[in-house]
Amino acid sequence: MARLPRSVKPSHYDLDLNLDLNGLTFQGSVAVHLDICQQTTSIIFHAKDLEIASTEIVHSPGEIVQIPTIRYNSDEQTITIPLPKPLTVGSRVVVRQSFHGTIKESGRTPGLQWTTYKNVKGKDLRAYSTSCEPIGARCVFPCLDEPDFKATLSSTVTVNQDLTCVSNMDIRSSEVTHSGSGSQFSKRTAFNTMPRTSTYLICFVIGDFDFVESKDLKFPVRVYAVRGAKIQHASSMLKVATQALDHFENIFGLEYPLPKLDLIALPDAGALENWGCIVFGERFLLLNPETTAAKSWQMAVETLCHELAHQWFGNLVTMVWWDDLWLNEAFAEWAGFHVVDKMFPEWRYWLHFVAADPDPEAMAFYQGALDLDSTRGSHPVYNPTASPDRMHELFDNITYMKGASLLRMLSRFLGTNVFVDGIRGYLKQHAFANATTNDLWISLAASSSRDVSSIMQTWTKCAGYPVLLVSEDNTTGTITLEQHRYLQAIKMEPEEDQNIYQVPLNLKTKTGGEVDNSALLTSRKQIYSVDLESYKLNVEQIGLYRVSYPLSRLQTFGKPTSNVRLLAEDWVGLISDSHALISSCLEIPMTTADLLDFLLGFSSGQHFLVWRQIFFVFAKVRQVFLFSSPQTRTALQNLHMHLVLSHSPEEVWKISSGDSIPVQNAKALFYAQGARYDHLKAVSSKLFDEFMAGKEETLNPNIRKHVFQAVINDRVSASIPVQF
């Protein structure tokens, strides 16, 4: 799918939509104000699934030219408007078109969509919304549907009188109009002009809504939900939203740029960062703290903060083209975690970012990036082959999580305050416009006086990441670091190991000493003077790379007499790296037995997220030996049972909403791991029976899923006769 020519540039859209919600169709008209940048004999717009009824060109002196025929290109999703005479550079015209289209079922195609839900009386109703990212605006109206064609927008929408229409901007006027014969009336809502924006951020949401509002900030923040959807549960997330917005304004040094912000809770939706009108699934906004699992609450908060961060990263400043999608998504991920960590420091949310989760339904953050980026199927975070018709391929752990991990690494290397200063400069310089990765490096270089582009080029433009092989010299008191690509493969070809990364080492060199965040490995092999009794690389697992220590050093880390005091993030990194290294094509002096010995050495006092990493790795090891001998599988199960029973909190099923989030998560983790064993099978059966008898309060939401799974597995397996 080719990009549009740069012969014309939009400056403003006047859009008028009239929705027939019963017939699931819509009619519309649009006036596109264009500046002519190159002489041209035709104008090309994007349009998909639209029938163009009329087209006319209005020249600046007021001359109007009717265009009787336009050309459709379904493969390119464009229409071409032939011109009777060339348009000259510097002139301006307005293209006016009328059109009609259909409203489709949610999830099928982009554009205007409908979804069904049941109201309090059990009646099926519909809510309607646009889905314009990445290339859905062209399904709503003819436009130049590429990120760098920013323009202002004035819009008017006509819907059923009893429904509410919400859009990016606040309402300029609303009036009831008579629609045709009979007693049918419609509501015509006009919205104030939207600042320069990319078309994929335009949004309209229509339905029978309730809302709650906060006036804690200089602008109103509302949560909308379909009537009867327990809008009273929106107050908690509304409070989180206003607190997060206040943090973002302070961090970025820029006020929220629109006059209002609406958060729309729709049934079965995901999350979409439309500017000033963010759409969420109900599960992210309508949460009752008394009945919501701690992990679900945290994920809702993080998702909310991610989408709020987009109001600056992606909306105020937008990537020029989709090859830089990571500028949107990775920044929103980093900024979201940064603000969650500030609002809820007791959660240690960056540790949550670093640690893997044995729950297959859980999000994979840092570990997900390490895993996917160690395969031959990976791609760079900057993807020059990006194409709108293949955009779904880019919304993955590389774009989001590798990108966020690189920003986390860079912010520590430069210093968080210096990094944030650079981000402020980047946002201010490119506000209401577009930017590239290089623009970001220029702003960070200005704030840090470092050649950020050279440091980050290999990280962003190449797939993969390095592993640092460590060798120690007791005579000289030095370590030698040698970098190679880390690849999950039986064999790595020489051409696959050509990249040399500039690796921030985050090196602790002395007992109790400061971490040197400025140390940088810039060649294939370098020597460093350290205290061999207490050095540690990649402190807090800040860098996106793995470290292979001598086996003796790894064993020393785990001894109570060790001089190295490690944080939970360090333990997570050591566990993750050790498992990864025995699975790699590198010659590593470590075996699965060594890894299991290392895991068995952990004490109950470790943070539960360290245990989450341990159980994740143990599950991976058991998968490898799934088809081995019964004796091996039994031995691994006994080891797992020992880890669970030896370190589980007492009465893990007794969880209260008054418990801290970490305590709730820790008990849920150990319950999930131990649910298959006899000591919890009886507990699960009892809790399940009480729940089914109507005592819903007896089954805490943190363990509900695990109780259901345990009881189903136990009772189904008991009812199926064994066949020989």
Side-chain angles (χ1 to χ4, degrees), residues 7 27 78 111 149 267 273 315 522 532 542 567 587 690 716:
S7 53
Q27 296 180 351
T78 60
F149 282 126
E273 70 265 22
N315 299 6
T522 58
L532 291 178
I542 294 294
L567 298 171
E587 293 184 7
E690 290 178 353
V716 170

Side-chain angles (χ1 to χ4, degrees), residues 70-306:
I70 62 172
R71 298 193 299 271
Y72 292 84
N73 187 327
S74 58
D75 291 335
E76 295 293 330
Q77 301 178 4
T78 60
I79 55 173
T80 299
I81 304 169
L83 302 171
K85 61 180 181 180
L87 296 176
T88 57
V89 176
S91 62
R92 294 178 177 178
V93 298
V94 178
V95 178
R96 294 201 297 226
Q97 292 186 301
S98 60
F99 54 90
H100 56 88
T102 59
I103 305 172
K104 304 175 182 67
E105 186 175 359
S106 178
R108 297 292 175 86
T109 57
L112 268 166
Q113 302 180 344
W114 59 268
T115 186
T116 58
Y117 66 96
K118 292 186 182 296
N119 66 4
V120 291
K121 296 180 179 179
K123 182 181 178 181
D124 285 334
L125 297 177
R126 289 177 181 153
Y128 310 83
S129 63
T130 52
S131 177
C132 291
E133 185 179 5
I135 52 174
R138 66 191 66 180
C139 302
V140 181
F141 64 102
C143 57
L144 292 90
D145 198 14
E146 294 181 2
D148 63 330
F149 282 126
K150 284 195 169 186
T152 56
L153 170 76
S154 297
S155 59
T156 303
V157 182
T158 302
V159 298
N160 299 10
Q161 179 187 357
D162 58 338
L163 299 182
T164 299
C165 181
V166 185
S167 187
N168 308 88
M169 293 295 290
D170 53 339
I171 294 173
R172 183 174 74 245
S173 66
S174 181
E175 61 178 348
V176 175
T177 62
H178 188 263
S179 53
S181 61
S183 58
Q184 288 188 331
F185 290 87
S186 298
K187 183 189 295 181
R188 184 171 171 82
T189 304
F191 297 94
N192 280 314
T193 301
M194 190 176 179
R196 294 184 74 244
T197 187
S198 301
T199 47
Y200 79 86
L201 296 169
I202 295 170
C203 179
F204 303 100
V205 185
I206 301 99
D208 182 19
F209 294 131
D210 284 326
F211 70 86
V212 293
E213 181 179 75
S214 170
K215 295 182 179 179
D216 291 345
L217 303 175
K218 294 179 180 178
F219 54 93
V221 181
R222 289 180 174 180
V223 175
Y224 283 86
V226 295
R227 201 173 301 278
K230 298 183 178 179
I231 189 67
Q232 68 273 18
H233 294 328
S235 57
S236 296
M237 293 305 288
L238 180 59
K239 182 178 180 180
V240 172
T242 57
Q243 292 175 342
L245 287 163
D246 187 53
H247 277 288
F248 283 130
E249 288 187 329
N250 289 328
I251 292 167
F252 302 146
L254 287 172
E255 292 186 348
Y256 173 73
L258 299 185
K260 61 88 181 174
L261 175 62
D262 295 323
L263 314 174
I264 319 293
L266 291 180
D268 303 321
L272 201 56
E273 70 265 22
N274 317 297
W275 207 3
C277 185
I278 310 175
V279 174
F280 294 91
E282 290 178 345
R283 65 190 182 280
F284 294 117
L285 292 180
L286 308 183
L287 282 77
N288 182 352
E290 297 296 321
T291 59
T292 301
K295 187 189 289 187
S296 298
W297 173 256
Q298 287 179 298
M299 181 52 62
V301 170
E302 193 273 318
T303 302
L304 173 62
C305 289
H306 175 100

Side-chain angles (χ1 to χ4, degrees), residues 2 25 84 109 120 123 256 282 340 351 382 470 563 609 686 699:
T25 63
T109 57
V120 291
K123 182 181 178 181
Y256 173 73
E282 290 178 345
V340 172
L351 174 56
Y382 169 76
V470 184
N563 289 328
L609 287 168
K686 178 176 180 293
L699 189 49

Side-chain angles (χ1 to χ4, degrees), residues 509-585:
T509 59
K510 296 181 180 179
T511 303
E514 295 293 323
V515 177
D516 184 358
N517 292 313
S518 64
L520 200 65
L521 173 64
T522 58
S523 60
R524 177 71 73 183
K525 184 185 292 189
Q526 286 179 227
I527 298 174
Y528 297 86
S529 296
V530 298
D531 180 348
L532 291 178
E533 294 299 317
S534 60
Y535 79 92
K536 170 71 173 63
L537 291 156
N538 204 11
V539 172
E540 293 185 60
Q541 207 65 10
I542 294 294
L544 189 76
Y545 55 89
R546 298 196 182 277
V547 180
S548 175
Y549 294 98
L551 180 58
S552 59
R553 177 60 49 194
L554 186 67
Q555 292 168 337
T556 299
F557 283 139
K559 292 180 180 178
T561 56
S562 171
N563 289 328
V564 185
R565 296 294 175 259
L566 301 181
L567 298 171
E569 291 86 348
D570 294 312
W571 288 119
V572 167
L574 290 170
I575 296 164
S576 172
D577 289 355
S578 298
H579 171 251
L581 290 167
I582 65 172
S583 309
S584 74
C585 56

